Amino acid sequence: MTERLEDIAQAMVTPGKGILAADESTGTIKKRFDSIGVENNETNRRDYREMLFRATEAMRDYVSGVILFDETIRQKAKDGTPLVDLIKAAGSIPGIKVDAGAKPLAGPTSRIEKVTEGLDGLRERLAEYYKLGARFAKWRAVITIADGCPTWNCVHANAHALARYAALCQEANIVPIVEPEVLMDGEHSSHDIDRCYEVTEWTLKTVFHELYVANVNLEGMVLKPNMVIAGQKSPKQASPQEVAERTIKCLKACVPAAVPGIAFLSGGQSDQQATEHLSLMNAMGNLPWKLTFSYGRALQAAALKAWGGKPENVAAGQRAFAHRAKMNGLASLGRWERSLEQAA
């Protein structure tokens, strides 16, 4: 495959395909494993991810790229094959999460607001990840809506960090996934869709201003935003059609047409909600960028449950993963229908 940033970014948003986020930190995957009673050790983490990467139909037909955690990009499958090579053999692009996590943002709102760390030493880490096979990277910033939040300090600090990260990625010939997430779940999630729209618009406009100042090549990046959706605790929930329409309106107001694609995060949505919203947006048509998915839990939850940590359940886990990947692949073309879920 070509090494041009623009070509890699286009391949990441290939119509009918999306990005598997398999970059859960050791702490996050522990929570997932706890839910199925599986011990969180390196072997089990390897076996679980190997199961996904060897799901031939899902990986070949519906997955354009895989975001990996630092441990995973260095791991080998049971037979000694590097996991990166399994991903490449399936025709997917290996990627890497490079941020060091969201930490409290110093100041009066530190109990609520966070800033993502990890810029120190990033240039050197990117060079190493490139040698290990990564051709794209991911950095997540989180914006919380609460009384008096987000503050300009939080929005600006996170947008600035995203831009610095993106510029360093492109210098290393790695495509940056720029992920500003306005949270819709958690302790502070009682906002309605109007407030989400307002904060998402503010965040995205600030991010693109910072990307411009940092001289980031928009044709060699992928945006990974939240959808415009009411908070989980909001008494006023919007219909799927309204979520799709408001999200598209917001993106059209903020995201330059030079960006090749937008790969949504699923946030706190259910598997099927995330799929339905994506399909409705693509069905609207006439969009300047490709819209697809970059889901973690919404692609993996069913597979994790079906696998349950048992070798004899690997095929069942792969079938569950293939189904969700196929549903989202159809959604990225605007062709998903609820009846297809029942048919599975």
Side-chain angles (χ1 to χ4, degrees):
M1 185 184 149
T2 165
E3 291 284 302
R4 283 179 74 241
L5 291 171
E6 296 88 344
D7 296 333
I8 295 167
Q10 287 287 355
M12 288 164 66
V13 292
T14 298
K17 294 187 176 188
I19 298 160
L20 166 64
D23 60 330
E24 302 86 0
S25 65
T26 309
T28 300
I29 207 162
K30 179 185 186 305
K31 291 177 200 160
R32 309 259 168 98
F33 280 4
D34 284 351
S35 73
I36 56 165
V38 170
E39 188 187 341
N40 181 30
N41 58 44
E42 189 179 349
T43 303
N44 285 339
R45 290 193 294 270
R46 189 271 321 270
D47 289 349
Y48 170 59
R49 283 164 171 152
E50 181 178 348
M51 171 187 79
L52 297 176
F53 305 157
R54 286 195 188 274
T56 312
E57 180 201 348
M59 292 290 294
R60 182 193 62 221
D61 296 343
Y62 309 112
V63 177
S64 59
V66 182
I67 312 169
L68 301 169
F69 187 57
D70 179 80
E71 174 185 82
T72 321
I73 201 170
R74 305 171 192 278
Q75 276 179 321
K76 291 186 173 156
K78 216 174 230 173
D79 66 3
T81 310
L83 292 182
V84 165
D85 289 353
L86 292 184
I87 293 165
K88 287 184 188 166
S92 280
I93 305 164
I96 181 73
K97 171 180 131 154
V98 297
D99 67 66
K103 308 289 167 64
L105 177 65
T109 58
S110 63
R111 202 183 64 77
I112 298 171
E113 298 196 296
K114 296 186 180 331
V115 66
T116 302
E117 297 183 348
L119 288 170
D120 288 355
L122 181 56
R123 179 178 272 121
E124 293 72 26
R125 286 189 291 128
L126 287 166
E128 183 191 9
Y129 286 137
Y130 186 89
K131 285 179 187 162
L132 288 168
R135 290 299 176 267
F136 72 90
K138 188 200 88 166
W139 178 290
R140 175 176 175 252
V142 295
I143 307 291
T144 302
I145 298 176
D147 286 343
C149 295
T151 60
W152 167 242
N153 184 33
C154 176
V155 172
H156 180 254
N158 279 294
H160 182 70
L162 278 166
R164 285 185 60 194
Y165 140 81
L168 283 165
C169 283
Q170 292 188 340
E171 177 187 274
N173 212 33
I174 285 174
V175 171
I177 289 183
V178 173
E179 180 177 2
E181 177 178 6
V182 176
L183 296 174
M184 59 88 68
D185 56 357
E187 185 189 346
H188 306 276
S189 57
S190 56
H191 56 275
D192 61 15
I193 194 169
D194 293 337
R195 182 71 177 130
C196 181
Y197 184 103
E198 190 180 289
V199 173
T200 302
E201 182 181 43
W202 183 26
T203 300
L204 289 175
K205 285 191 168 173
T206 308
V207 166
F208 279 99
H209 173 74
E210 291 293 327
L211 290 169
Y212 172 74
V213 172
N215 204 31
V216 171
N217 171 13
L218 299 186
E219 293 177 0
M221 65 161 273
V222 170
L223 180 69
K224 180 173 177 174
N226 55 283
M227 296 179 192
V228 175
I229 192 166
Q232 265 183 354
K233 293 182 181 175
S234 173
K236 192 179 162 195
Q237 293 292 323
S239 69
Q241 190 63 41
E242 188 181 359
V243 170
E245 287 169 4
R246 297 296 289 277
T247 303
I248 292 298
K249 184 181 178 187
C250 187
L251 293 172
K252 281 184 171 177
C254 304
V255 183
V259 174
I262 295 170
F264 289 103
L265 55 91
S266 52
Q269 300 177 64
S270 71
D271 300 0
Q272 199 165 308
Q273 266 183 324
T275 305
E276 182 174 13
H277 289 145
L278 176 63
S279 193
L280 286 169
M281 284 185 243
N282 275 302
M284 288 161 71
N286 194 28
L287 303 171
W289 356 254
K290 297 187 186 82
L291 291 190
T292 189
F293 57 93
S294 178
Y295 296 163
R297 185 199 41 74
L299 269 177
Q300 297 181 47
L304 183 73
K305 196 173 171 188
W307 171 64
K310 298 182 173 71
E312 64 269 27
N313 290 344
V314 164
Q318 290 176 330
R319 281 194 300 275
F321 174 49
H323 172 68
R324 282 265 51 87
K326 182 179 182 180
M327 293 299 99
N328 285 301
L330 289 169
S332 75
L333 300 168
R335 294 182 196 155
W336 175 87
E337 290 171 25
R338 191 172 274 113
S339 59
L340 297 169
E341 298 282 359
Q342 273 97 47

